[in-house]
Amino acid sequence: MNALLITLWAKVRTSYWFVPSLMAISAIVLSFVTTSLDYRLGAAWMDGTSWLYGNQPDGARAVLSTVAGSMITVAGVTFSMTILSISHTTSQVGPRLLNNFMGDKANQFTLGVFISTFLYCLMVLRTVRNAETAPPGQTGTVGENVELLGAFVPHIAVMVGVLMAIVSVGVLIFFIHHIPETIHVSNIIAGVGRRLNAQIDSQFPARVGDPRDVEAEHDSQSALPPLFDESAEKVQSDGTGYLEYIDGDGLLDVATRHDLVLHVQPSPGDFVTRSHVLLLASPRDRIDEKIASELSAMFVYGSQRTATQDLRFQVNQLVEVAMRALSPGVNDPFTAISCMDWLQSALETLASRELPAAHRYDDDQRLRVIAEPVTFRAFASLVFDQLRPYVATNRNASLRMMEVIGNLAVQVTSARDRRLLARHACALRRECRRAITDTRTLALISRRYRDVLRVLTDADIRSRARQTGNWATR
């Protein structure tokens, strides 16, 4: 249940309807509040204020009808502008960025302002009445006093409606400015990059001290009990889709209560089917249908990948934009370079973080859950291995990728990560030699490659580069 609530709340927060709906409900409540004030105060309080004037029923109706009609028209225009800009931009940078536009709070707020102003005026308009008939409960001849009692103009509510219309004009000006900013490719890339860095900050604590270069500490199989696979029960998926969320705390709680050891197989973002094994639970004789169902409920699926737990999804968003930019039909290496800059920032942030351990223990320090941790190696592969065939065909992009590897070489503190970067730099130079024929470009790439190797192998050069910010020869 906790996993479902978390994923549901994440979807609601990024939906296009949530904020406008809240604002619409607030506008309806506000209409009741202001009309109640008008019922209580009447119109006498306006007599001593020269710059206020009392509307007649027909005038109040005209003002409210004008504001309501204009607001619903403008709301339709802004919605059309949003959809048009989204369709154009996603066709250029990729459809997987659609949720980023839908979750834009400025777009949601703009639509909410126009809808709430329309609803507010509509709700107030229904309370305006003429003094043509006696009010309920009055009998006899309709005279002047009875007419005055029967007429009602909510002066405070009308003024609030006019103020909301003025605010809506300001919001419209802001929206016209915001739309071009939103669809600018640099701002799109920067938005994805900032969200990626923010999620890394929220998921991984800062590292204290230097990391240990022990390959075995990431070996999940070595920590499993003897004959684990033979004694474990398979818990299979009860649905099909992309894995959006895994409730790790819930799995640990179930494993502790039933004295189990769980080995989680997939990671958030993986596509699973009904034949897919979610986890292995040992010992087998403690697993019944109820416990298996309880364990399966800790996994939430969806029709698309989300950024709730899946950092790879946001990395792939930037990689996709870079791939499209380097395709022959677009040929925009500077957009690809911008993507690589933000990917470098994310990899630097990740390299400085304490990555989660594969093993989780209960309060008695007994092994309960094993799940493969996210690694710097996996993210580096997502970036460099996927982009390398596209980057290697372009001079500017290939040089920038080599510089990204060099900048990372200065920042990473793990010897294992430095060896990984050396292999990616070697693979990039080899790919460039096959794809590029210009000898001057190849010579420049080779020189940058040698600079990267010096940074990776010489601690003094790394230390000097951290101080000066410069590691490449001129």
Side-chain angles (χ1 to χ4, degrees), residues 244-314:
E244 294 183 0
Y245 188 84
I246 301 176
D247 188 355
D249 294 333
L251 288 175
L252 182 63
D253 178 66
V254 174
T256 303
R257 285 191 286 109
H258 299 286
D259 193 19
L260 301 172
V261 178
L262 308 178
H263 189 190
V264 180
Q265 301 297 309
S267 299
D270 291 346
F271 187 81
V272 297
T273 64
R274 290 187 178 274
S275 62
H276 199 101
V277 177
L278 296 178
L279 55 84
L280 298 175
S282 178
R284 180 182 292 116
D285 55 11
R286 295 177 188 164
I287 305 297
D288 56 21
E289 186 175 347
K290 181 180 179 182
I291 296 177
S293 177
E294 191 175 358
L295 291 171
S296 179
M298 303 300 168
F299 298 79
V300 180
Y301 323 98
S303 58
Q304 58 184 335
R305 296 176 67 176
T306 65
T308 306
Q309 280 188 334
D310 186 10
L311 284 175
R312 295 178 300 168
F313 174 64
Q314 296 189 78

Side-chain angles (χ1 to χ4, degrees), residues 85-228:
S85 61
I86 288 175
S87 62
H88 171 74
T89 306
T90 52
S91 66
Q92 298 295 318
V93 299
R96 272 150 292 282
L97 290 170
L98 177 61
N99 287 342
N100 298 342
F101 292 100
M102 300 295 287
D104 189 335
K105 292 297 184 290
N107 291 342
Q108 297 174 7
F109 175 76
T110 300
L111 181 61
V113 166
F114 296 139
I115 295 297
S116 59
T117 303
F118 165 75
L119 286 176
Y120 174 84
C121 292
L122 196 64
M123 295 298 293
V124 173
L125 184 60
R126 69 185 178 84
T127 66
V128 180
R129 63 174 179 266
N130 291 325
E132 297 175 354
T133 59
Q138 295 287 345
T139 58
T141 305
V142 179
E144 183 179 355
N145 291 335
V146 176
E147 290 178 355
L148 292 176
L149 289 173
F152 178 71
V153 178
H155 299 288
I156 296 176
V158 172
M159 283 190 295
V160 171
V162 173
L163 289 175
M164 292 177 68
I166 294 172
V167 171
S168 299
V169 173
V171 172
L172 177 61
I173 296 172
F174 159 77
F175 181 73
I176 294 173
H177 165 76
H178 178 70
I179 282 294
E181 275 196 333
T182 303
I183 64 177
H184 194 285
V185 66
S186 296
N187 292 331
I188 295 172
I189 295 170
V192 177
R194 291 192 186 100
R195 283 189 292 272
L196 176 57
N197 278 313
Q199 190 166 353
I200 292 174
D201 286 335
S202 65
Q203 288 191 12
F204 307 124
R207 174 178 288 154
V208 179
D210 293 330
R212 293 178 298 164
D213 292 315
V214 181
E215 298 286 351
E217 68 182 7
H218 293 297
D219 186 4
S220 302
Q221 297 294 333
S222 62
L224 289 172
L227 302 176
F228 176 85

